[in-house]
Amino acid sequence: MLKPMSDKADRLCTYQQALDDFAIPELLEKLSNYSDPDFDATKEHLEEAEVEALAALLISYLTTNLSGKSIAGYLNILRSGSQEVFSDLPAIEFKYLHQPITLPENFPQQAKTPLYWIGDRIRWKIINNKEQTDFGIVIGKFYAYARHRASWEWKYLIWLDP
């Protein structure tokens, strides 16, 4: 049987995934609790709307002030896995892009619960208001490193309908 999912719920799930992929919840949390000699969020009693507006301004500032030197520096760090810190780059903890060759130590106890199980009937997300999408049945799953997310994720084998 096809798992029911409303368009609204599907869009909300996709939207939340995009926020997670780009670390927006972490940015909002950091802004909500930030404290240094120049600014203390707890003393400011920031409202949620203010935190979100600050995050938008900071992202806009970053976009406006991008430089080739900083992009090249960050790319070098991502590709090499180097801990070297460039003098003009802020210190950031990176998830390196190299693919691990062994499963995480805490697998499978700490692995996310799979979204789909073998035998589940699934349907691809509707894109651009096209009514025709592919359907299929999950016939397998495996745990693999997802470079685009720099984390381990479940991958699925799908037997497509004709």
Side-chain angles (χ1 to χ4, degrees):
M1 179 193 292
L2 196 62
K3 285 190 171 186
M5 183 180 288
S6 72
D7 273 349
K8 185 175 182 179
D10 192 32
R11 282 192 303 263
L12 182 59
C13 183
T14 302
Y15 177 75
Q16 185 60 51
Q17 185 63 55
L19 291 176
D20 292 344
D21 287 348
F22 291 100
I24 301 301
E26 289 89 347
L27 175 60
L28 296 173
E29 180 66 26
K30 182 80 172 186
L31 286 171
S32 296
N33 298 305
Y34 190 82
S35 179
D36 73 5
D38 297 316
F39 182 81
D40 186 343
T42 57
K43 289 180 182 175
E44 293 295 330
H45 306 288
L46 296 174
E47 296 179 15
E48 185 177 348
E50 291 174 317
V51 172
E52 290 173 359
L54 281 171
L57 287 170
L58 288 169
I59 292 168
S60 178
Y61 176 81
L62 172 64
T63 303
T64 304
N65 293 290
L66 280 177
S67 72
K69 185 176 182 179
S70 63
I71 294 169
Y74 285 129
L75 182 60
N76 184 42
I77 291 170
L78 287 172
R79 286 185 174 168
S80 68
S82 170
Q83 296 295 329
E84 181 180 346
V85 177
F86 294 82
S87 61
D88 63 336
L89 300 178
I92 297 176
E93 181 182 331
F94 285 98
K95 293 180 177 177
Y96 301 116
L97 295 179
H98 69 279
Q99 183 167 340
I101 56 173
T102 60
L103 283 169
E105 288 181 28
N106 57 2
F107 180 81
Q109 294 82 6
Q110 298 297 319
K112 294 177 187 174
T113 302
L115 293 175
Y116 306 104
W117 299 96
I118 294 174
D120 282 352
R121 215 153 141 68
I122 61 163
R123 174 182 175 184
W124 261 243
K125 293 179 181 177
I126 296 174
I127 300 175
N128 298 331
N129 295 325
K130 292 182 180 179
E131 291 187 25
Q132 292 183 351
T133 61
D134 288 326
F135 290 82
I137 297 174
V138 176
I139 60 169
K141 66 180 186 273
F142 59 97
Y143 205 58
Y145 190 76
R147 285 190 63 173
H148 67 290
R149 289 193 172 155
S151 65
W152 288 85
E153 303 288 335
W154 286 104
K155 306 293 181 181
Y156 302 93
L157 301 173
I158 310 299
W159 185 273
L160 292 176
D161 288 350

